Amino acid sequence: MASSEPPKDAFIQCLKNQANMSPKPISEAIFTAESPLFMPTLFAYFRNSRFNRTTNRIPTAIITATHETHVQSTVICAKYHSLLLRIRSGGHDYEGLSYVSNEPFVILDMFSLRSIDINIQAETAWVQAGATLGELYYSISQKSKVHAFPGGVCSSVGTGGHFIGAGYGNLLRKYGLTVDNIIDAKIVDVNGKILDRKSMGEDVFWAIRGGGASFGVILSWNLKLVSIPEVVTFFKVDRALEEGAVDLVHIWQEVANKLPEDIFIRLKFLHWREHANKFMVRFVALYLGKTDTLLPMMNQRFPELGLKQKDCIETSWVETTLLWQDMDPKQTNLLLDRQTTSTFGPSPFKAKSDYVKTSIAKPALEELWKKVDNTPGLAMEWNPYGGKMSQIPESETPFPHRAGYKFKIQYWYFSNDTLEPLQKVYDFMEPYASQSPREAFLNYRDLDVGQNGNGEDPNVFGAKYFKGNFERLRKVKRKFDPSNFFRNEQSIPPLSA
């Protein structure tokens, strides 16, 4: 360290010196343990209470940046004083890597950098990394009834983290992932410089669209908005075991990824409160059209589901973003609420993921049903692929799971105790998941699939998340951040020369 001052004091002084010309004073954005607002600020975006432990190391400081210069100063000073940088936009990292660390660190909180500039004529939007998906969807809806953006269904998720992990939503069969619809970005590099697509170069622009928080601090994204009908259709159909649920799931595997790309039907396996906590499967869907074309198509392609007019709701796209969260679709202002719209709430949880290329036989589905039914607190979501996802080469972005996949599974387990029940279900599913490697989705962060350090080979988790794109990511990292300043337990390590 270059100073004899205590690390915290030296770091704070460095911030003030670096940002002394900022239009907004950085002193108002700095919180240390002595501040009465330090703990409320720390826990404001603490989305997984599994990491709410008294033994946690607290950050040296939290910087709630209100100007781009605050981000630049934080990068420069954290690097100079050898402090690990945790970058948080919405706090939804499943393993808490945006706000928890075992080594001295600072949190760069982006939640105040949340401006959204919609240009309907150009069909684009600039979105700062601290804005949430709900704020983005609301802003689009205020400008247009026939535009949308293909992001996730949890509206409190921050766009910064969602996009760098190759976010997706119920428009992926029509328009692909979020990263397939990003046309520019602004990033602060390891030297504190602000770069756009042209100045960062195409390799880095490729890497940040799905390669994780390994290359710099994203300030903002330039998005390509997509076209949707003014009226779309939402439906949900619940089925229990005695109502043929296993048969329907078996058929869904053969149908969902082959349907027209205008429809996305997710399966949600849960103990549903509205059904007396009975374990059931929910078929929940978005269709880019009206029921007069949806029903004939479903009756022809998936008649076994028995979809009826009464199951369908014709509404605007923005209202479906609330329906997907079981919220009142008429209260679109709820999309601006960063707390109550969280899917996770205060619950402790662990998540895992799988990709499936071959349909799971009915006997295995029956056995799976028994295992999940007998495991309170465990849930699954199955997301169909096909459509646009099959048309984009796996090397187009770091996200490689494209053609040849039927669906992706997300496993949830809500518990503060042992995670063994989740692991048992995950182990049971191994023969039915993708092989060599058993692939995983970066945005469903799971440190069990491998991590940096402890003598582990990063190529293990790298192959699961990125397949053949991992080596290219490591080459970009070597060139753009050779000292590996931007790092976490599953960041991209530089490729050795």
Side-chain angles (χ1 to χ4, degrees):
M1 183 169 294
S3 172
S4 59
E5 295 179 71
K8 180 174 65 178
D9 294 343
F11 173 70
I12 300 301
Q13 190 58 51
C14 178
L15 289 175
K16 293 177 179 178
N17 292 341
Q18 285 291 329
N20 67 338
M21 299 297 290
S22 175
K24 296 185 178 180
I26 197 171
S27 57
E28 298 176 4
I30 302 171
F31 297 89
T32 62
E34 292 75 26
S35 168
L37 294 178
F38 178 78
M39 296 307 289
T41 303
L42 176 61
F43 286 105
Y45 292 87
F46 222 91
R47 303 294 190 184
N48 189 346
S49 63
R50 184 161 65 94
F51 304 108
N52 187 359
R53 299 192 281 269
T54 57
T55 55
N56 283 353
R57 176 191 291 272
I58 65 170
T60 300
I62 304 171
I63 298 87
T64 59
T66 58
H67 193 269
E68 293 178 346
T69 55
H70 299 171
V71 177
Q72 294 174 282
S73 300
T74 303
V75 170
I76 291 169
C77 294
K79 180 184 178 184
Y80 183 76
H81 288 283
S82 301
L83 288 166
L84 181 68
L85 186 63
R86 294 300 205 198
I87 308 159
R88 184 166 71 174
S89 57
H92 287 82
D93 186 293
Y94 284 4
E95 296 283 12
L97 298 190
S98 62
Y99 50 82
V100 174
S101 174
N102 292 322
E103 59 180 288
F105 73 112
V106 295
I107 294 176
L108 174 57
D109 229 321
M110 304 292 285
F111 65 82
S112 293
L113 294 175
R114 58 207 287 185
S115 70
I116 300 171
D117 183 16
I118 308 289
N119 186 332
I120 289 300
Q121 284 190 326
E123 298 185 306
T124 60
W126 273 104
V127 182
Q128 284 191 307
T132 65
L133 293 177
E135 290 164 349
L136 173 61
Y137 300 160
Y138 181 87
S139 297
I140 294 172
S141 72
Q142 296 302 295
K143 297 282 188 176
S144 171
K145 296 180 179 180
V146 292
H147 288 87
F149 188 74
V153 300
C154 178
S155 57
S156 61
V157 167
T159 57
H162 188 60
F163 296 172
I164 61 172
Y168 79 99
N170 51 29
L171 291 173
L172 94 162
R173 302 190 67 251
K174 178 72 172 182
Y175 290 111
L177 308 172
T178 58
V179 292
D180 298 324
N181 297 276
I182 292 175
I183 53 181
D184 204 345
K186 290 184 179 179
I187 184 174
V188 174
D189 73 359
V190 69
N191 298 311
K193 295 181 179 179
I194 297 178
L195 307 174
D196 61 8
R197 178 174 182 172
K198 183 178 180 180
S199 53
M200 78 176 77
E202 287 301 307
D203 277 347
V204 178
F205 182 66
W206 173 86
I208 63 174
R209 290 177 296 136
S214 301
F215 304 94
V217 182
I218 300 295
L219 292 173
S220 56
W221 304 96
N222 191 13
L223 314 178
K224 179 181 180 298
L225 303 182
V226 300
S227 298
I228 42 98
E230 187 169 342
V231 177
V232 299
T233 304
F234 169 88
F235 73 77
K236 64 180 180 181
V237 175
D238 297 342
R239 294 289 184 263
L241 184 64
E242 59 270 21
E243 296 173 310
V246 172
D247 286 331
L248 289 173
V249 171
H250 187 253
I251 295 169
W252 175 93
Q253 295 180 101
E254 299 298 326
V255 172
N257 69 316
K258 299 174 184 174
L259 288 171
E261 60 186 15
D262 286 333
I263 187 168
F264 176 93
I265 308 176
R266 168 182 283 179
L267 302 190
K268 299 180 72 172
F269 302 80
L270 281 176
H271 290 84
W272 295 96
R273 292 179 182 175
E274 63 263 49
H275 296 294
N277 213 34
K278 188 183 179 95
F279 183 73
M280 308 182 75
V281 62
R282 171 168 291 175
F283 297 78
V284 56
L286 173 67
Y287 173 63
L288 300 179
K290 298 182 178 180
T291 55
D292 59 357
T293 55
L294 170 64
L295 291 174
M297 182 263 288
M298 289 294 289
N299 288 334
Q300 178 184 10
R301 305 288 291 272
F302 195 6
E304 296 84 356
L305 184 60
L307 185 67
K308 307 295 184 184
Q309 180 82 42
K310 64 180 179 61
D311 302 317
C312 303
I313 300 174
E314 290 186 347
T315 185
S316 64
W317 167 76
V318 73
E319 291 188 357
T320 68
T321 66
L322 291 155
L323 288 168
W324 273 82
Q325 300 175 86
D326 296 318
M327 297 164 66
D328 185 349
K330 298 303 179 184
Q331 297 189 48
T332 54
N333 61 303
L334 291 176
L335 294 172
L336 305 178
D337 189 331
R338 293 179 162 227
Q339 300 304 321
T340 61
T341 57
S342 172
T343 295
F344 316 115
S347 302
F349 70 91
K350 168 74 176 179
K352 304 183 82 65
S353 59
D354 264 325
Y355 286 89
V356 179
K357 295 183 176 182
T358 305
S359 293
I360 304 170
K362 188 176 175 182
L365 290 176
E366 292 171 340
E367 184 65 23
L368 174 64
W369 190 281
K370 294 177 185 177
K371 288 182 178 295
V372 182
D373 187 15
N374 293 324
T375 310
L378 195 145
M380 293 187 297
E381 291 181 350
W382 293 16
N383 299 280
Y385 270 30
K388 185 71 171 180
M389 292 297 289
S390 296
Q391 301 164 19
I392 300 173
E394 64 180 40
S395 61
E396 185 74 15
T397 67
F399 178 94
H401 323 284
R402 300 285 190 170
Y405 297 84
K406 284 181 174 288
F407 56 97
K408 172 172 59 182
I409 300 177
Q410 178 171 202
Y411 307 86
W412 296 86
Y413 186 55
F414 295 89
S415 174
N416 217 1
D417 300 318
T418 175
L419 299 177
E420 184 178 355
L422 170 63
Q423 190 62 46
K424 285 184 176 179
V425 171
Y426 185 70
D427 290 344
F428 171 80
M429 289 294 290
E430 183 172 7
Y432 314 108
S434 57
Q435 304 289 322
S436 301
R438 185 177 184 178
E439 297 165 47
F441 179 40
L442 181 63
N443 262 357
Y444 295 163
R445 178 86 68 190
D446 178 11
L447 293 182
D448 295 342
V449 306
Q451 54 186 298
N452 291 306
N454 302 319
E456 294 189 44
D457 182 359
N459 290 301
V460 173
F461 76 80
K464 294 174 183 177
Y465 285 139
F466 305 109
K467 295 177 63 178
N469 293 328
F470 190 55
E471 183 175 359
R472 181 179 173 186
L473 284 167
R474 295 190 68 182
K475 288 179 179 178
V476 176
K477 177 72 170 181
R478 180 176 63 192
K479 181 179 178 181
F480 201 64
D481 179 22
S483 65
N484 200 24
F485 171 70
F486 295 106
R487 67 187 186 279
N488 59 51
E489 286 81 344
Q490 287 187 338
S491 60
I492 307 298
L495 189 67
S496 300

